[in-house]
Amino acid sequence: MDPQAFVRLSIGSLGLRIPVEASKALRGVTHASSQCLCEIRLRGFPVQTASVPLISTPEASPDPHSNATIFYLEKSDVKALMAPGCFQPPQAYLEIMVFMGRLGSHCGVTSRKQQIGTFRVVVGPEWGEGNPALLHNGWIGIGKNKQDAGKPGPELHLRVKLDPDPRYVFQFQDETALSPQIVQLQGAIKQPIFSCKFSRDRRASQLDTVGSYWLRSNCKDRDADRRERKGWKIMIHDLSGSAVAAAFMATPFVPSMGCDRVARSNPGAWLILRPDAAGSSSWHPWGRLEAWREAVPRDRVRLHLHLLPEGQEAGVLVSEVLISSEKGGEFYIDMDRQTPVGTPVPSSQGGTGDYFTTSLAGSLAGGFVMNCRVQGEGKISKPSVQLAMRHVTCVEDAAIFMALAAAVDLSIKACRPFRRNARKGFRHSFLT
């Protein structure tokens, strides 16, 4: 398997120090309740906002390991930044605008804020070379007095770094419940890697025919007569036909007392399984994915993923994500965006899937692991998956995350309300 080139741009170790002389000019906004923040801008990406700690003494220094914002750039993103635009500056740049404002009672900083200064890093050839590059690390003067001799002004401390972040990219060729093939994408090339087999436990209700949801249209909603969604299974096979990963509903998706939705008090759950490393027919739990539909904010599905180290039931919470049930969204495992909760114990058995658990127990300080993008309920969803190359040592490692992606996709459907007003005219029915 050949990875695709990605770049990780991290901005961190933020700090601001303001000399006494410069603070006089900011007397209107410097106060005990003041807060310093910055807006981080990169063309083609949403503006990010981060707080900037005030450094009060010369001896103090910002946390060298902290990250305020991280951008992940594909090869096409870097190419677009390097290309000149008709109505854009001749050179693209990373811009950090620093502000000072007072904390308000609503939404944090009030509208009364004053710009302290701006720092820019020009996008250069090194962005596309695929090598680590430290673009800046240390203090830099910002503000209008930064070049005036004898007039010290505000100083910003930051670290701007580029790191290669190669990833494998996969695509489900059809909807999960239609047992699609899974291909790896490398440019315009689609290489078959896995097959995904959806099935339903025969012990489930005869009305529990999820495939009908994708195959039938223009029919009345029938969820009012179904009280649970259970028995769904996913098997991931390699090209030889061997099962290399699996996911099955461990806890049915059922409406909570007094409402028509799967609630936090009783979430549905999947077990993600890996085969025994010795080649036997036994399976071992790798993770547990829980899902429920939130009441507030409305039309959001919350997903929790716990890794399950050998001999532990509680596991380690490594991902907590909200996805729009209408529009879909991104599920991810990213240690830069979330901190694992729990005390992982690495397995002594070794084998497929242990690489990630062991990393959490060891020296995994941060970084992207995987993401998958899914569509909302009632839409055709063909999950796409990105997987960090450093977490894959064999095909079986990637298969674990295909099973996880399939479970995430089906969870959006399984969390659909059980009662709908037929007059709303839904195009599809979800036959559970």
Side-chain angles (χ1 to χ4, degrees):
M1 297 191 301
D2 296 323
Q4 293 191 26
F6 281 74
V7 176
R8 177 178 181 267
L9 171 64
S10 59
I11 301 95
S13 190
L14 293 176
L16 180 71
R17 60 188 181 194
I18 304 176
V20 176
E21 295 84 350
S23 65
K24 295 178 181 179
L26 301 173
R27 186 169 298 172
V29 290
T30 53
H31 188 267
S33 62
S34 297
Q35 184 183 51
C36 184
L37 56 86
C38 68
E39 293 180 355
I40 304 174
R41 302 171 183 268
L42 184 65
R43 192 172 73 196
F45 291 84
V47 176
Q48 304 295 315
T49 302
S51 61
V52 183
L54 285 172
I55 307 300
S56 57
T57 63
E59 297 79 15
S61 60
D63 181 357
H65 304 294
S66 64
N67 285 316
T69 296
I70 292 177
F71 296 96
Y72 294 111
L73 286 71
E74 300 183 38
K75 187 177 181 179
S76 58
D77 295 326
V78 177
K79 186 176 180 180
L81 287 170
M82 299 290 290
C86 296
F87 303 100
Q88 298 169 342
Q91 284 185 309
Y93 46 78
L94 172 72
E95 182 178 61
I96 296 95
M97 302 178 66
V98 184
F99 298 90
M100 181 76 75
R102 289 192 181 185
L103 291 173
S105 59
H106 178 67
C107 297
V109 178
T110 65
S111 58
R112 185 185 179 188
K113 60 182 182 180
Q114 181 174 341
Q115 183 174 341
I116 304 298
T118 301
F119 176 70
R120 291 177 177 175
V121 177
V122 175
V123 176
E126 66 273 13
W127 288 53
E129 293 175 353
N131 298 316
L134 186 61
L135 304 180
H136 180 85
N137 188 27
W139 292 98
I140 185 73
I142 60 174
K144 59 183 179 181
N145 293 329
K146 61 183 178 182
Q147 294 179 342
D148 294 347
K151 295 182 179 180
E155 291 182 301
L156 176 68
H157 187 284
L158 76 163
R159 181 198 68 252
V160 182
K161 188 179 180 183
L162 290 172
D163 289 291
D165 189 31
R167 303 179 184 181
Y168 298 110
V169 181
F170 303 90
Q171 180 77 55
F172 285 59
Q173 291 297 90
D174 209 333
E175 303 202 47
T176 306
L178 299 181
S179 300
Q181 188 178 59
I182 302 173
V183 300
Q184 183 192 357
L185 302 181
Q186 182 63 43
I189 301 174
K190 296 182 179 181
Q191 176 66 44
I193 296 292
F194 303 108
S195 61
C196 172
K197 176 64 176 178
F198 172 83
S199 63
R200 177 178 54 86
D201 193 329
R202 292 181 178 179
R203 292 174 296 177
S205 167
Q206 291 183 356
L207 296 176
D208 188 5
T209 52
V210 63
S212 304
Y213 172 64
W214 287 267
L215 297 177
R216 297 186 184 183
S217 62
N218 299 321
C219 57
K220 294 182 179 179
D221 187 276
R222 306 183 184 185
D223 280 342
D225 298 329
R226 283 101 178 131
R227 304 311 301 160
E228 62 182 11
R229 294 163 185 154
K230 64 180 182 180
W232 302 359
K233 297 180 180 180
I234 289 291
M235 295 292 293
I236 305 297
H237 299 267
D238 62 18
L239 295 180
S240 69
S242 300
V244 287
F248 71 89
M249 278 187 178
T251 303
F253 285 67
V254 298
S256 294
M257 186 73 67
C259 66
D260 65 348
R261 59 182 173 80
V262 181
R264 185 179 189 132
S265 59
N266 187 27
W270 296 79
L271 273 182
I272 315 299
L273 305 174
R274 58 180 176 83
D276 187 87
S280 65
S281 58
S282 61
W283 292 79
H284 297 283
W286 176 86
R288 179 181 175 89
L289 179 71
E290 295 182 337
W292 64 90
R293 194 180 184 101
E294 292 281 16
V296 179
R298 293 185 58 188
D299 299 327
R300 297 290 189 272
V301 174
R302 187 175 295 274
L303 299 114
H304 281 189
L305 174 66
H306 290 80
L307 292 188
L308 300 176
E310 200 78 22
Q312 289 192 3
E313 293 185 3
V316 184
L317 178 63
V318 295
S319 183
E320 180 178 357
V321 178
L322 268 176
I323 294 180
S324 169
S325 58
E326 179 183 0
K327 299 179 181 179
E330 176 194 14
F331 174 86
Y332 57 85
I333 307 173
D334 191 338
M335 299 302 109
D336 287 323
R337 299 165 73 177
Q338 297 182 335
T339 301
V341 179
T343 306
V345 178
S347 169
S348 60
Q349 302 297 319
T352 304
D354 285 332
Y355 60 95
F356 186 47
T357 305
T358 304
S359 296
L360 280 173
S363 59
L364 184 61
F368 171 85
V369 178
M370 68 84 70
N371 70 14
C372 70
R373 296 186 180 275
V374 298
Q375 295 297 318
E377 60 188 30
K379 297 181 181 179
I380 296 175
S381 182
K382 302 177 182 179
S384 61
V385 183
Q386 294 180 2
L387 178 58
M389 186 183 73
R390 66 183 178 278
H391 290 297
V392 178
T393 58
C394 58
V395 172
E396 288 78 7
D397 292 344
I400 288 284
F401 294 99
M402 300 304 108
L404 173 61
V408 168
D409 184 47
L410 290 177
S411 292
I412 304 300
K413 278 75 177 178
C415 283
R416 194 178 176 200
F418 283 75
R419 296 183 183 275
R420 296 276 196 178
N421 188 337
R423 292 176 297 176
K424 291 183 179 180
F426 290 97
R427 180 178 179 183
H428 298 287
S429 69
F430 189 84
L431 301 187
T432 59

